[in-house]
């Protein structure tokens, strides 16, 4: 289950790391953004995106926002850390809303994730390592929700840049015009 879905249980982590050390390793991986808690179907599981090996080959539809790292470099692991932060945000969003909704399992691949961003709003993120881009894709044309997702993902990238990358990342943002499809630089 762990290597196909990226999702694992506490029992598995205890088995791998041992009962004496699992809590230490769990805390270490959460602090370095390599693992995230994910709650759904009344069971506590953990997401470890870096163990995923299958690339997404499906359609990548939706209104696009491009995070372009091509002027510098996009190191391995940044995308996986962003997925962990998105999952943590999703869990907090549901807890704050007071809803008892069951979260859908995220659709996870090595280079793609579809995650409930907030109740009733699902986003997709995609990494193109050749172009050094992250894509944020939203199906909902709600400007408020789309803007909120952009702001939160920018914040997540800043956190990864500050806490993990030593402020070595730099990127530009391009937004798709929903009427013309043209990409415009976001300042």
């Amino acid at each position: 289950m762990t290597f196909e879905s990226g999702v694992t249980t506490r029992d598995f982590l205890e088995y791998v790391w041992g009962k004496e050390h699992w809590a230490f390793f769990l805390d270490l991986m959460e602090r370095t953004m390599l693992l995230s808690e994910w709650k759904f179907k009344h069971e506590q599981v953990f997401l470890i995106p870096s163990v995923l090996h299958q690339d997404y080959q499906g359609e990548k539809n939706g209104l696009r926002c491009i995070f372009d790292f091509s002027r510098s470099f996009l190191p391995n692991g940044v995308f996986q850390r962003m997925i962990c932060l998105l999952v943590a945000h999703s869990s907090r969003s549901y807890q704050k809303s007071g809803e008892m909704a069951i979260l859908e399992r995220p659709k996870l691949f090595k280079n793609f994730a579809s995650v409930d961003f907030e109740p009733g709003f699902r986003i997709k993120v995609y990494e193109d390592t050749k172009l050094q881009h992250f894509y944020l894709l939203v199906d909902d044309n709600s400007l408020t929700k789309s803007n909120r997702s952009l702001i939160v993902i920018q914040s997540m990238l800043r956190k990864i840049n500050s806490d993990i990358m030593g402020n070595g990342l730099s990127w530009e943002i391009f937004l798709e015009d929903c009427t013309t499809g043209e990409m415009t630089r976001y300042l």
Side-chain angles (χ1 to χ4, degrees):
M1 172 173 122
T2 300
F3 296 101
E4 290 84 31
S5 67
V7 177
T8 192
T9 64
R10 175 183 169 163
D11 291 339
F12 181 76
L13 295 177
E14 281 184 6
Y15 172 76
V16 171
W17 293 327
K19 289 191 182 247
E20 295 176 10
H21 304 291
W22 82 272
F24 168 77
F25 285 116
L26 181 71
D27 184 56
L28 176 67
M29 288 187 69
E30 282 181 319
R31 288 178 190 264
T32 57
M33 299 175 224
L34 294 172
L35 173 143
S36 183
E37 194 173 352
W38 182 263
K39 296 177 183 180
F40 57 93
K41 295 185 181 178
H42 307 293
E43 98 182 281
Q44 184 180 11
V45 295
F46 301 94
L47 173 64
I48 308 172
S50 59
V51 300
L52 296 166
H53 297 287
Q54 184 178 1
D55 283 327
Y56 181 73
Q57 301 298 325
E59 292 185 21
K60 300 168 190 89
N61 296 329
L63 195 58
R64 294 175 299 160
C65 171
I66 299 173
F67 296 86
D68 181 356
F69 295 84
S70 63
R71 286 190 171 186
S72 60
F73 176 69
L74 179 59
N76 289 334
V78 173
F79 183 74
Q80 290 76 16
R81 285 177 166 94
M82 188 173 68
I83 298 304
C84 283
L85 292 174
L86 277 170
V87 167
H89 172 80
S90 177
S91 293
R92 282 191 308 273
S93 175
Y94 272 86
Q95 290 170 358
K96 284 181 184 176
S97 70
E99 293 184 22
M100 296 306 292
I102 296 174
L103 297 178
E104 289 184 43
R105 273 188 189 262
K107 294 179 184 173
L108 300 170
F109 295 85
K110 179 181 178 183
N111 61 341
F112 176 88
S114 177
V115 178
D116 286 344
F117 187 73
E118 60 183 47
F121 184 58
R122 196 160 183 87
I123 64 167
K124 296 172 267 187
V125 289
Y126 170 69
E127 177 186 37
D128 185 330
T129 55
K130 290 180 184 174
L131 294 176
Q132 302 282 298
H133 289 176
F134 283 174
Y135 296 88
L136 166 63
L137 305 167
V138 294
D139 292 329
D140 189 336
N141 285 332
S142 164
L143 289 178
T144 303
K145 290 180 180 180
S146 297
N147 287 340
R148 192 168 36 245
S149 64
L150 170 62
I151 291 166
V152 170
I153 289 180
Q154 277 183 289
S155 175
M156 290 174 183
L157 283 172
R158 286 187 198 112
K159 178 171 181 53
I160 292 168
N161 193 24
S162 172
D163 293 0
I164 305 297
M165 304 307 299
N167 292 318
L169 289 177
S170 62
W171 62 87
E172 293 181 299
I173 299 173
F174 296 90
L175 302 175
E176 181 177 15
D177 183 314
C178 59
T179 55
T180 66
E182 292 182 23
M183 301 304 294
T184 306
R185 186 167 183 236
Y186 178 76
L187 301 176

